[in-house]
Amino acid sequence: MDGTSMARNREIALAGGDARGVRETIRDSWQRSRRHGIRPDRHLPPIELQEDRVGDLRREHPLVRVWPLLCDTMRSVTSEPGNLIFASDADGRLLWMDGSKADLRRAERVNLVLGARWSEEAAGTSGVGTALALRRPFQVQGAEHYLSAVTSYTCTAAPIRDPMTGAPLGTIDLTHATRQSDAVVLSLMATAAKLAEAELRTVALQQQARIHARYGERLSRRSGTHSALVTAEGLVVHSAPQGWLPPRVPGALDDGPVVLPTGQSVIVERLAPTGPFLLVGQAASADQVLSVEALGRDRARLRVAGMTHELGGRHGELVTVLLANPGGLTADELRREVYGPAGKAVTLRAELTRLRSILGHRLASEPYRLTGEVAADFLDLGADVVAGSPSALLDRYPGPLLPKSAAPGVTMLRDRLHERLRARLLAAGDVDSLLRWLNTRHGRSDASVIRSLDRLHE
């Protein structure tokens, strides 16, 4: 159909008549546009995004990785006068554009500009909007556009999908002065979209390989459990045993116990601020209690999820202080408790990051605290000092809490528990228990205990 006939049919259809010569897909799109309340002669697409917001979305959008490739691939096309290329997001908002300065200035008159929204809901029938609506490459020629202001253009767009999930990411669009339908242009844009998807697939596979190389050890630590590495987008990079999760985990992930849409109960551990994640089947974890042994030990021993860890000095101090403060501590409070007033916040953050690789979701922040059920030998002993028998208390006291630690918070906990136990022994006046105390390295030469024994023997 020539341009004059198309324009006449457009006028008939938009006036409510039956334009039989118009493609069915265009008629259907016009009907959708009408239902959206768009007035073809009094409307331009809204410019929803300011320049700074466009920049923010570009940096975050997956197509940022392929736009330079698309520009290079289509350089011979965009070098021709009147030709422009655009890339939009999945909502039809234009985030990238390329063409001559003169052509870009002319396009500004109809809001073919960065930040403008060209979805069918906002702009009616167009290359970008209708390709997104139909989820396939589509060409809109001249008077086929719903908006009167853009009938001098032909727009050909193709959707770009996430090659790993199938989710729509946006479109690539070639816009030029109206001319007869060009099937070659439609094929070109479909090929450009496939090229972008192939490049995105390569990038995604490389990212997954890096995730597996960096965090694969976490799976080996979970031997005997159901565990998996999952990307921020929910793609399962690796699972053990294979197949216990679907290839993609739907929905947003966050730290802690989660019931997936599949009905599976898992514990999610965030491995980096924006992902990836470690998922562990909750039913497969035999021991959900986080327990710590730190009495008489230079290095605290931590057991969680069926695994035992010998903690380094700082990690042991951090865990000990957090156990003693179940309500949590701010970063500044925790820094002072472990490092003293001269400690640096950056050092604390680095140690907490390394500690989180062991504790996962059990180490929460704002404030910093340990979540879930916890137990510690020094806490249990402290709770029983008043009522416990001296002999039984000594059986549970192999020595002071982290004896080599100089952390202010640990020193206070150590001295307080030691003195409470010593006071209990003196108050009980049990000869055997006092002698046992004197025969330990931490009780040797205790003058008060010696005097107490002397009085008992008088």
Side-chain angles (χ1 to χ4, degrees), residues 21 113-114 242 248 343 378 456:
V113 295
L114 293 177
Q242 187 173 0
R248 183 168 183 262
F378 68 94
L456 290 171

Side-chain angles (χ1 to χ4, degrees), residues 30 163 206 279 343 378 454:
W30 284 352
Q206 290 173 343
L279 270 61
F378 68 94
D454 288 343

Side-chain angles (χ1 to χ4, degrees), residues 223-306:
S223 177
T225 70
H226 286 61
S227 56
L229 287 172
V230 179
T231 68
E233 297 76 25
L235 294 170
V236 177
V237 174
H238 186 76
S239 65
Q242 187 173 0
W244 77 275
L245 284 177
R248 183 168 183 262
V249 177
L253 293 174
D254 204 355
D255 290 317
V258 172
V259 178
L260 300 177
T262 58
Q264 294 162 293
S265 295
V266 300
I267 292 178
V268 179
E269 296 183 9
R270 187 184 301 272
L271 302 176
T274 59
F277 302 89
L278 174 66
L279 270 61
V280 180
Q282 199 166 4
S285 184
D287 181 10
Q288 296 302 321
V289 178
L290 185 156
S291 63
V292 171
E293 297 174 14
L295 291 176
R297 301 181 58 85
D298 295 332
R299 296 167 64 92
R301 178 185 292 153
L302 180 145
R303 291 188 179 89
V304 64

